[in-house]
C-alpha cells in the first residue's frame, strides 16, 4: 500500500520568502507542480510511489488537482482538514505530514503520522 503524504501548503509555501504573499494561489500552484516529482520518487523513509495530497486554504482554495497530486481545499482550517485526512487513512497505511507547524505535528502524531519539514519538498532535497 502506498504511503499517504499530506502537504500543508500554507506552511510549506510560507517557509520560503519568495514573494508568495503577493499571489497565494500562484504559490500553491507552483508547489503543487513541484510535488509531482515526489509521487514517484517518494520522501525520506518512504520510497515511491506515494499518494500525495496538497491541502490548501483561504486565498489558495480552488487550486486544481493534477496527475499525481490531489489538491484538497479546506472549507475552514487547513490544519483541521490535515488531521482529518491523517486520522481517516486505512489501518496499517503509513502517513507522512509535511509541515513545520508544531501544534499540527503534535495533533497528527497522535494518530501515528510521521512528520517531515518543508525543506523535504521545497528546498535542497527537491528531486526536481
Amino acid at each position: 500500500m502506498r504511503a499517504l503524504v499530506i502537504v500543508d501548503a500554507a506552511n510549506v509555501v510560507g517557509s520560503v520568502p519568495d514573494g508568495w504573499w503577493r499571489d497565494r494561489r500562484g504559490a500553491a500552484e507552483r508547489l503543487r507542480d513541484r510535488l509531482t516529482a515526489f509521487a514517484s520518487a517518494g520522501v525520506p523513509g518512504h520510497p515511491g510511489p506515494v499518494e500525495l495530497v496538497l491541502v490548501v486554504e483561504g486565498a489558495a482554495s480552488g487550486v486544481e488537482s493534477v496527475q499525481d497530486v490531489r489538491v484538497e481545499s479546506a472549507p475552514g482550517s487547513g490544519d483541521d482538514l490535515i488531521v482529518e485526512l491523517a486520522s481517516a487513512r486505512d489501518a496499517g497505511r503509513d502517513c507522512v505530514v509535511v509541515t513545520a507547524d508544531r501544534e499540527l505535528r503534535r495533533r497528527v502524531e497522535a494518530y501515528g503520522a510521521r512528520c517531515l519539514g518543508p525543506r523535504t519538498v521545497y528546498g535542497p532535497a527537491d528531486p526536481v
Side-chain angles (χ1 to χ4, degrees):
M1 186 178 321
R2 296 185 306 162
L4 174 63
V5 177
I6 305 168
V7 179
D8 179 355
N11 187 268
V12 172
V13 165
S15 72
V16 178
D18 62 359
W20 59 265
W21 51 89
R22 290 187 296 268
D23 181 10
R24 293 171 193 255
R25 184 183 176 109
E29 289 170 339
R30 288 188 297 279
L31 173 59
R32 175 205 59 200
D33 295 345
R34 292 172 68 121
L35 290 174
T36 60
F38 290 93
S40 58
V43 295
H46 296 279
V50 297
E51 179 184 355
L52 273 161
V53 179
L54 178 65
V55 174
V56 297
E57 62 187 306
S61 290
V63 169
E64 300 280 330
S65 295
V66 295
Q67 184 173 338
D68 296 328
V69 180
R70 186 174 92 227
V71 179
E72 295 282 341
S73 292
S77 163
D79 290 0
D80 290 347
L81 178 56
I82 291 167
V83 171
E84 181 183 322
L85 293 169
S87 67
R89 71 185 190 279
D90 293 334
R93 184 177 190 193
D94 287 340
C95 179
V96 177
V97 174
V98 180
T99 187
D101 182 321
R102 289 182 185 176
E103 176 61 17
L104 177 57
R105 284 175 173 248
R106 184 193 64 73
R107 291 174 65 193
V108 297
E109 285 171 348
Y111 290 103
R114 228 178 108 229
C115 294
L116 296 171
R119 289 191 144 205
T120 304
V121 297
Y122 207 57
D126 196 335
V128 178

